[in-house]
Amino acid sequence: MSFVTSVVGSFPRPKFVVEAYDKYSKGELSREELEEYLDDAVKLTIKEEEVAGIDVITDGEQRRTSFVSFIGEKLEGFKHVYITELNPKAIEIMRQYKGPLTEWRAVVSGYIKGSKIALDEFEFAKRYTSKPIKVTLPSPYLVMWESWHSQISKPYYKEPEDMAKDYAKVLREEIIRLRDAGVAFVQLDEPMLGDLIEADENEPDRYRKVIELIYGQKYRGFKNELTLARDLLNETVKGISDIRIGMHMDRWPNPDSPKFGTGYERLLPEVLDIKIKQYVVEYAAPGSGDPSKFLEHFDNTKEIGLGVIEVRNPRIEKPEEVVQRAERALKHLDPKRVWLNPDCGFAPGLYRKFERKIAFEKLSVMSQAAQILRKRYG
Ligand SMILES: [Zn+2]
């Protein structure tokens, strides 16, 4: 099929989930009681994605406090903490550098041990839908930047890279488990790699700057970061076949940056040496650049998960506008290799405010656009 529609992962949480999580954090709700609310939120989200006409759905990451921190509740070796526990000035630092991180964090505070990460989420979701399911997982390079703290993690892993390698092994086992359980698509979330577009050889982007200050990490320089991300991803997916593996990179263009208007072509050629099939990327937000500059370098094995819906702007697009955004990919790719998705998750963290009904309308418009495109291009 051409122009398969999917989502990047998260869908805004219903109010009852946010309230339940807050009560749970204060000890006013048991884990079992919380799980009941989360079960309901997943059922609701699956239904909304189905009604909106999405072909490959997710559970909306309803169970996760954030797209990355939830591993702190799943894996041994991590601690799940609120950001000010890592640095009392964290909120001020994020504000100063305009680099907002999700508030709940998974920090490494022991040796990472293998366990299931998302299999339980998938097993639950598949009971409520017959559609193919995408499962999102935090990538090792991301987790290295997000979870290694210079004081808390150092007794176990002297360098962030050592920790990332251990996590990559655990992740690899989970991808194989998910494949064997029938997952259609595993998407590795690698927002930090996309953020690198705004970095210079010796000057980190705003997110790395914030993490340097909050976690005590050190920027390795543009080329070294890029090759490290590539190598960690390739170690993770090496030799795994019979499942579609994609990678999502954020962009979130910053109008104050000289890189506003530059896209993923800045990460060439290394980014295309990553052995994944689909690049799930942002191209709807203003300043994210021209997709053909990236796509002209694709060989015939790669697919694009093209961002055609803005996720940080509540304005609901018109179908024809989305069609035009998608058509920009057709100069270089066959329609069968073009998937459509919003730029990013609508709510990567529990507290991200985005109206559910607007997210639903945006997904519906994307499905309508896919139908127009299929009629036009087959
Ligand atoms: Zn994203």
Side-chain angles (χ1 to χ4, degrees), residues 157-211:
Y157 297 100
K158 202 160 155 270
E159 301 296 336
E161 290 90 332
D162 303 332
M163 177 233 131
K165 280 179 193 151
D166 255 14
Y167 174 69
K169 281 183 207 145
V170 168
L171 187 62
R172 183 183 164 76
E173 287 163 15
E174 179 73 348
I175 296 171
I176 293 169
R177 270 193 292 267
L178 290 167
R179 176 198 63 189
D180 296 344
V183 170
F185 189 150
V186 161
Q187 174 187 292
L188 300 172
D189 286 331
E190 199 50 282
M192 291 295 290
L193 188 50
D195 295 334
L196 196 63
I197 294 170
E198 290 190 3
D200 285 311
E201 183 51 46
N202 298 312
E203 182 61 30
D205 57 280
R206 62 199 147 134
Y207 291 102
R208 283 176 182 75
K209 186 82 210 164
V210 165
I211 295 177

Side-chain angles (χ1 to χ4, degrees), residues 8 191 248-251 282 312 343-345 348:
V8 170
H248 170 57
M249 290 183 283
D250 266 28
R251 180 67 185 89
E282 295 197 14
R312 302 169 198 108
D343 268 355
C344 191

Side-chain angles (χ1 to χ4, degrees), residues 198 206 251-257 259-262 282 285-289 312 343:
E198 290 190 3
R206 62 199 147 134
R251 180 67 185 89
W252 203 335
N254 172 12
D256 303 332
S257 163
K259 306 293 189 308
F260 192 73
T262 302
E282 295 197 14
S288 40
R312 302 169 198 108
D343 268 355

